[in-house]
Amino acid sequence: LVHLVESGGGSVQAGGSLRLSCVASTDAYSSSYMGWFRQAPGKEREGVASIYTSGGATYYFDSVKGRFTVSQDRVNKMTYLQMNSLKPEDTAMYYCAAGAPGWNRWFIPDEYSYWGQGTQVTVSS
């Protein structure tokens, strides 16, 4: 059973923008947090942003603050990641995740129970 499906990845030049979307199953969206993670070749998966589905509080990795925005459409169980001013170092596979991370643990992959298949983002210089 597929619980999360991402879309919106692609190839852009540095300075460009992309908007990632994630549609969740009812089970997945009942989780308290929806997160976005990324993994570049040879690197560990890292938390990019997360949103508390009930209250809307958002959290960001320092390197994307001011450039990325996470948002949600609760009616349609959608989560979005608007990425502006993209840099080559943002190149990675991006994953949507759902879970109930502990306090101040939103960026830890093991805290999430549901994962999408990923969508590739490539930023060229």
Side-chain angles (χ1 to χ4, degrees), residues 78-117:
M78 296 289 297
T79 306
Y80 304 99
L81 185 67
Q82 177 67 44
M83 305 185 295
N84 299 328
S85 303
L86 282 162
K87 304 175 181 181
E89 51 263 43
D90 294 318
T91 295
M93 184 72 79
Y94 282 70
Y95 298 90
C96 178
W103 183 80
N104 206 27
R105 295 173 66 85
W106 67 264
F107 53 93
I108 299 176
D110 286 348
E111 298 283 313
Y112 291 77
S113 304
Y114 300 94
W115 289 89
Q117 82 288 352

Side-chain angles (χ1 to χ4, degrees), residues 14 17 19 23 28-29 41 44 51-52 61 71 74 77-78 80-81 85 94 96 100-101 108 118 121-122 125:
S17 298
R19 187 194 196 205
V23 58
Y29 204 72
E44 292 187 355
I51 185 166
Y52 181 51
F61 188 48
S71 61
R74 295 182 65 188
K77 299 188 287 291
M78 296 289 297
Y80 304 99
L81 185 67
S85 303
Y94 282 70
C96 178
I108 299 176
V121 171
T122 302
S125 58

